[in-house]
Amino acid sequence: MRAAVFHGNRDLRLENVPEPEPGPGDVKLRVRYNGICGSDLHEYYDGPITTRTTPHPLTGVRNPIIMGHELCGEVVALGAGVEDLAVGDLVAVEPLETCGKCLYCGLGQYNHCPLVAFHGYNRAGGGLAQFTVVKRRMAHRLPPEVSAMQGALIEPLGIAWHTANRCLVEAGQTVAIHGAGPIGIGVFLTLKRRGVQAIIVDPSPARRAALAGLGAKVLLDPSSGDVVEAIRDLTGGRGAHASVDAAGVPQSFHAMLHGTRVDGTAVVVAIHHQPVVIPPFDLLMPEVRLTGVAMSVSAFPSVIDEMARGSYPTDGWVETIPFDGILESGFERLRRQEGMKILVDVGHA
């Protein structure tokens, strides 16, 4: 089968590799679509970061590996013991394999398992291949209302769902979202469904236009003025009830923190690659709760239900590319910020 194999820094090759087969408790999938994530870009251009040059303690896997962790596939074979799925079912993959035995797995906080392995980084296989094998618990069946293309969005939308939960807001309140990439869009759509108002902050005219098309009413360009002052003006001088850093640069972090009202919540979901200095006074005086997001936990069923209800339209921000174009049409374009959410059409590889 064809697969996109990551060998190391800036070395991703389309290769012919052996087709995997399911073991006990496994599900074999024919991959339909796989999304390219910002983490994939960092892995390719700056890595190895999440992939390993030594065996992973849970799976024993190390580079080279098949990339891809945002995927939807069709069940083609079931391992022994799997009886609640059928060949032909369409599933979205939750790309976390955990030990199932530690404190956090026992508490249901499996996203904090110290041995967590990521499909597409630390497991034998990934979504950028014609076939892949996952554990049964990683496969979430999709209803007829959700397409294969939409199914490949469930993983990033799960992170957005978890982010929205951590904002600790309710209908009628306001959240400032700094960064209008795929996660920022997902947070906006999740909060919109819950009746929460949003202030979108992003320097890209294309991204702001996409959000406007999705129903965002207040959109700010951080390069054209003082964003914090604008947010306070829009909220009666108080600031947003919660703010989200989905951009991952020091400017967005500080705008998030200072644009949040007293006793509000500041949520970091972006991965930062530069240090951020936080004067303790900036937390002490406004009593802002500063928190983060570690992937997602138990979000897939809720996101799938909302997707089936039409809460996550894809117009204006999601596009597909052929498997052969993964580097130039996918990685390179995203690095140049010429696309928003790109899905690789693996099913037609």
Side-chain angles (χ1 to χ4, degrees):
M1 67 172 186
R2 297 190 73 203
V5 182
F6 178 72
H7 289 261
N9 185 267
R10 305 192 185 209
D11 187 0
L12 183 68
R13 310 174 197 173
L14 285 178
E15 299 178 346
N16 288 315
V17 301
E19 188 174 314
E21 295 302 331
D26 288 341
V27 180
K28 180 179 176 179
L29 305 175
R30 182 190 307 276
V31 179
R32 298 285 298 278
Y33 291 94
N34 187 100
I36 302 175
C37 172
S39 298
D40 295 328
L41 298 186
H42 289 304
E43 193 70 32
Y44 175 71
Y45 290 105
D46 306 317
I49 299 171
T50 305
T51 62
R52 299 173 60 100
T53 56
T54 57
H56 188 278
L58 182 64
T59 63
V61 170
R62 62 180 176 182
N63 289 339
I65 55 91
I66 299 171
M67 293 190 80
H69 66 278
E70 298 180 357
L71 67 143
C72 175
E74 177 186 344
V75 175
V76 294
L78 300 168
V82 180
E83 300 176 351
D84 57 345
L85 286 176
V87 171
D89 282 348
L90 204 60
V91 301
V93 172
E94 185 170 8
L96 305 182
E97 180 180 350
T98 60
C99 73
K101 303 173 183 178
C102 69
L103 170 67
Y104 295 107
C105 286
L107 291 172
Q109 297 172 315
Y110 55 86
N111 54 324
H112 294 285
C113 174
L115 294 180
V116 65
F118 300 90
H119 198 66
Y121 292 131
N122 315 123
R123 300 189 74 249
L128 287 171
Q130 291 176 290
F131 297 93
T132 194
V133 169
V134 300
K135 299 291 185 185
R136 168 63 188 91
R137 115 166 240 289
M138 298 166 64
H140 295 259
R141 184 192 288 111
L142 298 178
E145 298 85 358
V146 177
S147 70
M149 189 182 82
Q150 290 174 311
L153 298 170
I154 302 298
E155 195 276 341
L157 290 174
I159 295 173
W161 183 276
H162 188 38
T163 303
N165 288 349
R166 294 191 67 76
C167 286
L168 304 175
V169 292
E170 56 190 36
Q173 295 185 327
T174 300
V175 174
I177 302 170
H178 299 265
I183 298 298
I185 290 173
V187 174
F188 164 73
L189 292 172
T190 302
L191 292 172
K192 180 185 177 187
R193 175 69 175 178
R194 300 176 186 183
V196 177
Q197 307 301 311
I199 298 170
I200 307 297
V201 182
D202 197 284
S204 165
R207 288 185 172 187
R208 295 198 305 274
L211 264 295
L214 293 169
K217 299 290 192 285
V218 183
L219 301 116
L220 303 178
D221 179 358
S223 64
S224 66
D226 188 327
V227 166
V228 172
E229 182 179 339
I231 291 171
R232 293 196 177 278
D233 286 345
L234 289 163
T235 55
R238 297 190 62 187
H241 293 89
S243 300
V244 174
D245 175 8
V249 294
Q251 296 91 329
S252 63
F253 180 93
H254 290 296
M256 169 199 69
L257 193 58
H258 296 142
T260 304
R261 68 178 55 195
V262 168
D263 202 32
T265 305
V267 184
V268 180
V269 62
I271 297 174
H272 280 253
H273 295 276
Q274 302 176 50
V276 176
V277 176
I278 311 172
F281 215 67
D282 288 354
L283 296 175
L284 186 149
M285 292 308 292
E287 298 186 336
V288 170
R289 289 180 295 273
L290 178 61
T291 187
V293 173
M295 288 99 47
S296 69
V297 59
S298 304
F300 268 57
S302 298
V303 172
I304 291 169
D305 285 347
E306 286 296 330
M307 180 72 85
R309 293 187 179 100
S311 300
Y312 294 107
T314 59
D315 293 344
W317 67 284
V318 180
E319 62 179 294
T320 64
I321 61 170
F323 204 174
D324 286 342
I326 185 171
L327 282 176
E328 178 53 39
S329 299
F331 281 66
E332 293 291 345
R333 279 187 57 225
L334 286 173
R335 193 181 191 216
R336 296 191 299 265
Q337 298 188 345
E338 293 175 357
M340 295 187 68
K341 189 62 191 178
I342 294 178
L343 306 180
V344 180
D345 185 351
V346 182
H348 291 92

